[in-house]
Amino acid sequence: MELLEHKKNIYSISVQDITDRATVNRATFYAHFEDKYAFLECWMKEKFQRKLAETLPNSSISNMSSLRTLILTIFEFLALTRQYMIRTPENSQYEPLFEIAMQKELYQLLLKWLIEESNGSVSRELVESTALVISWGILGTAVQWSRNPQNRRAEDMVRDVLVIVAAGLAPVMA
């Protein structure tokens, strides 16, 4: 974050900048990350995981109320991310990288919850497909909203998304 504040965009941050700030050599960096993009994906994933841990106890979903909290967290996180990191044209190229990192985390969280909720009453394939569709549906809606948040309050969007998500979950919920 300090590098981002200093450089003003992600594009201009180099591996050398990262290793200097972290006080590690380039070989250590490359032992953990293939390139700057892998590092950025990991960084975003960890930021998103921390945010989820703050808002969801044990980073789990237990009912529709916690699902609503999860959806609201995603909307708020994306709004904040866009405000601080995707505010320049140079940074917009990293948006898909961040979205994919978030979707993977969201998918894993939904999959874990749906496996527990379904109790084996539906096929694993249906559970996986449901988690995939729901994770992209939530994230895609949040991404679109975050591009123009002044058009509609996050709480209103979350309410509508929750109705649609609940309907999509019905075939899998035991």
Side-chain angles (χ1 to χ4, degrees):
M1 284 304 294
E2 290 171 7
L3 280 172
L4 187 58
E5 301 262 332
H6 175 71
K7 296 272 192 169
K8 302 297 182 211
N9 65 56
I10 296 167
Y11 179 77
S12 65
I13 298 173
S14 68
V15 169
Q16 189 64 52
D17 293 329
I18 295 166
T19 57
D20 288 348
R21 181 66 57 140
T23 63
V24 297
N25 64 39
R26 290 175 67 89
T28 301
F29 176 90
Y30 286 112
H32 295 280
F33 303 103
E34 182 179 325
D35 54 24
K36 169 174 126 173
Y37 306 104
F39 171 79
L40 290 170
E41 182 180 355
C42 181
W43 176 63
M44 179 54 66
K45 178 181 166 186
E46 287 179 6
K47 287 181 72 60
F48 186 53
Q49 286 172 336
R50 279 195 302 273
K51 183 64 176 172
L52 289 176
E54 289 173 16
T55 58
L56 288 173
N58 303 320
S59 292
S60 66
I61 306 167
S62 58
N63 54 37
M64 285 297 155
S65 176
S66 58
L67 181 59
R68 183 197 173 287
T69 300
L70 171 64
I71 296 168
L72 182 59
T73 299
I74 292 165
F75 273 70
E76 291 172 345
F77 185 82
L78 275 169
L80 189 63
T81 300
R82 183 169 301 286
Q83 179 182 354
Y84 288 103
M85 295 188 320
I86 308 174
R87 61 183 173 209
T88 66
E90 297 87 6
N91 285 349
S92 64
Q93 68 180 319
Y94 299 102
E95 187 175 8
L97 182 72
F98 296 151
E99 291 168 6
I100 290 168
M102 290 179 64
Q103 186 275 331
K104 286 178 184 177
E105 286 303 303
L106 180 56
Y107 170 77
Q108 290 300 322
L109 190 58
L110 289 169
L111 182 62
K112 179 179 175 269
W113 178 52
L114 292 174
I115 288 170
E116 291 169 3
E117 286 295 312
S118 69
N119 292 322
S121 61
V122 295
S123 72
R124 172 77 182 209
E125 291 82 10
L126 180 58
V127 172
E128 290 172 353
S129 295
T130 301
L132 185 64
V133 169
I134 298 295
S135 64
W136 277 112
I138 292 169
L139 186 67
T141 305
V143 166
Q144 285 300 114
W145 171 83
S146 73
R147 291 178 179 153
N148 234 343
Q150 68 275 12
N151 287 348
R152 195 155 179 223
R153 292 177 343 123
E155 293 80 9
D156 296 335
M157 286 295 297
V158 169
R159 182 193 63 233
D160 293 349
V161 169
L162 185 58
V163 168
I164 295 163
V165 166
L169 292 173
V172 176
M173 303 298 280

